[in-house]
């Protein structure tokens, strides 16, 4: 059991929250099977495999939602919990208590940031389509562009600078899974809000340096150039609706 | 340093996210100082003490937002991280890896539920007042009442039932910090949405049993009856705006 290949369960066709896990697995050099896609590639009903896991009452707890990592007999859900576990197992986080806690806290601040980025296009509720809440989305995205995104990005810039004026990492000691996640968030924000992103990041040069360093890492670059990497689209967290990006 | 009394930093005047930490500390029998309130009681500027911590660049990382627990030389923020740490230190979670992960995952699902409950009155952005987003709040709260809250509550009911038809706890082995948090969430939902809560919970008798068991615990009951316990009001996560509670 413990030597089996890791399995990732996530919705197909979008990067979504699964991408934070894929980037960590790729960077750590850990091979994994993306179960839904693998079954689809074999002509099977891949989504059914995911729904089956969500309905299993023998798991403690049954996962509420994907991503779900099945590794070494454990079934782990929630991005931040999976990354905390992978960070400890595969050297993607500090091994001391304070460092591990630091990474986990930063990841949860990113989690909040990601949820707010998502809610720019779904402020009325995740059970409604974007087209049913465009008016609300205009209000929420204005708040995000003018107040929330600058606040979060300014915070992360400050965290990086605390490690030195030329630093390009978030956690003491260097590269960690949080850097991978932040690079992906920056990538997503640049896709969804190209105009606003250009403005925000004038104030956050260290975050741009961090992103560029992360995406130049050999295994990360190889993964992002591969067929396993799904591009952003209008089914995920980061969606490009020009009307939400403010005025030129 | 390691023997110093724990310190909690949180906004005064509302239960907020600080309440999840207070309940865990109270139940564990760990004395703590609520720094902002203690300074206010001494005639000092308590909020300044919190803002000072948020501005400290020597903390790794500086906390993004309260609640913040200062304990044994560590500065920990994010409710779920603080509870994971307290759970391990003070016997409020299973000590095996799978059990500790289970508790942490359930807590993060509760975190998501709490964020959605908050956004019923702030779908337009947390930097705007409720009165500036009442129309959006009507849309979001309808989605919450009809889809999201029943989904989350049904999930937790299922998790409890997986431990036995008469179970009243979420994590294998019995009582944990997650039960404390869920009881508080149920309390908050009953305050904010009394009509809808009565409907939702017809389907979730085990959650009501869990809440009643938790609130009958000696130290929890003593804390909730004390002056340290702040009642819900319209400054926190759970706010009672009758127009968001649906039709009678």
């Amino acid at each position: 059991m413990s030597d089996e290949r890791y399995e990732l369960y996530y919705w197909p066709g979008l990067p979504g929250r699964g991408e934070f896990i894929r980037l960590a697995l790729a960077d750590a050099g850990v091979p994994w099977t993306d179960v839904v896609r693998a079954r689809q590639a074999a002509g099977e009903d891949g989504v059914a495999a995911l729904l089956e896991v969500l309905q299993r009452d023998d798991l403690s707890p049954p996962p509420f939602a994907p991503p779900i990592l099945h590794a070494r007999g454990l079934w782990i859900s929630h991005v931040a919990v999976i990354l905390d576990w992978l960070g400890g197992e595969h050297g993607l986080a500090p091994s001391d208590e304070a460092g591990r806690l630091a990474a986990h806290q930063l990841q949860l601040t990113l989690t909040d940031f990601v949820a707010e980025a998502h809610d720019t296009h779904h402020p009325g509720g995740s059970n409604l389509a974007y087209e049913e809440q465009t008016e609300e989305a205009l209000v929420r995205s204005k708040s995000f562009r003018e107040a929330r995104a600058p606040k979060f990005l300014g915070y992360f810039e400050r965290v990086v600078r605390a490690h030195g004026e030329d630093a390009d990492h978030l956690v003491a000691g260097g590269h960690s899974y949080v850097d991978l996640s932040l690079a992906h968030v920056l990538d997503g924000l640049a896709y969804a809000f190209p105009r606003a992103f250009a403005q925000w990041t004038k104030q956050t040069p260290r975050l741009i340096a961090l992103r560029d360093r992360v995406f130049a890492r050999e295994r990360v670059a190889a993964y992002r150039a591969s067929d396993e990497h799904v591009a952003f689209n209008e089914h995920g967290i980061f969606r490009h609706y020009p009307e939400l990006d403010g005025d030129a």
Side-chain angles (χ1 to χ4, degrees), chain A residues 14-243:
Chain A
L14 67 163
R17 288 182 172 80
E19 196 66 10
F20 297 107
I21 313 305
R22 293 189 193 100
L23 282 167
L25 292 167
D27 192 42
V30 178
W32 78 93
T33 298
D34 215 309
V35 176
V36 175
R37 293 186 196 169
R39 299 224 179 165
Q40 288 181 332
E44 299 169 23
D45 185 346
V47 171
L50 166 57
L51 296 178
E52 195 178 295
V53 172
L54 292 175
Q55 285 154 14
R56 280 182 60 176
D57 275 328
D58 62 315
L59 302 181
S60 183
F64 182 75
I68 303 157
L69 183 71
H70 182 205
R72 303 202 186 148
L74 297 167
W75 293 84
I76 316 177
S77 62
H78 282 286
V79 169
V81 184
I82 298 171
L83 291 178
D84 181 50
W85 186 84
L86 284 175
E89 295 289 317
H90 296 285
L92 283 175
S95 54
D96 64 296
E97 181 182 42
R100 184 169 179 170
L101 284 170
H104 198 26
Q105 291 170 67
L106 288 165
Q107 188 67 39
L108 281 172
T109 301
L110 269 180
T111 299
D112 292 342
F113 191 15
V114 166
E116 294 197 22
H118 170 272
D119 284 358
T120 56
H121 53 76
H122 273 73
S126 56
N127 59 323
L128 305 173
Y130 171 63
E131 292 69 23
E132 297 176 86
Q133 52 192 307
T134 49
E135 287 305 313
E136 293 84 357
L138 289 170
V139 172
R140 181 64 175 253
S141 58
K142 181 170 192 291
S143 161
F144 183 77
R145 288 195 314 273
E146 296 180 0
R148 301 300 290 173
K151 178 180 167 85
F152 277 106
L153 293 171
Y155 169 76
F156 286 112
E157 176 81 4
R158 178 180 156 220
V159 171
V160 172
R161 284 182 188 272
H163 297 297
E165 278 305 304
D166 294 329
D168 55 9
H169 58 278
L170 286 160
V171 178
H175 181 69
S176 73
Y177 67 77
V178 199
D179 295 343
L180 297 167
S181 290
L182 178 56
H184 179 64
V185 169
L186 293 168
D187 202 28
L189 292 172
Y191 171 81
F193 303 97
R195 286 179 190 158
F197 187 83
Q199 294 300 314
W200 298 329
T201 51
K202 284 180 184 167
Q203 310 301 322
T204 62
R206 303 319 307 160
L207 300 190
I208 297 300
L210 180 152
R211 180 197 64 186
D212 293 347
R213 175 186 63 75
V214 164
F215 286 163
R217 286 173 70 85
E218 189 175 336
R219 290 172 180 151
V220 172
Y223 162 70
R224 296 181 79 239
S226 76
D227 289 343
E228 299 213 64
H229 177 68
V230 175
F232 293 114
N233 57 47
E234 279 56 69
H235 298 285
I237 300 161
F238 299 105
R239 306 187 187 186
H240 181 51
Y241 297 125
E243 62 273 24

Side-chain angles (χ1 to χ4, degrees), chain A residues 1-7 31 70-73:
Chain A
M1 173 76 91
S2 64
D3 291 333
E4 286 180 11
R5 191 177 168 97
Y6 289 8
E7 292 181 328
H70 182 205
R72 303 202 186 148

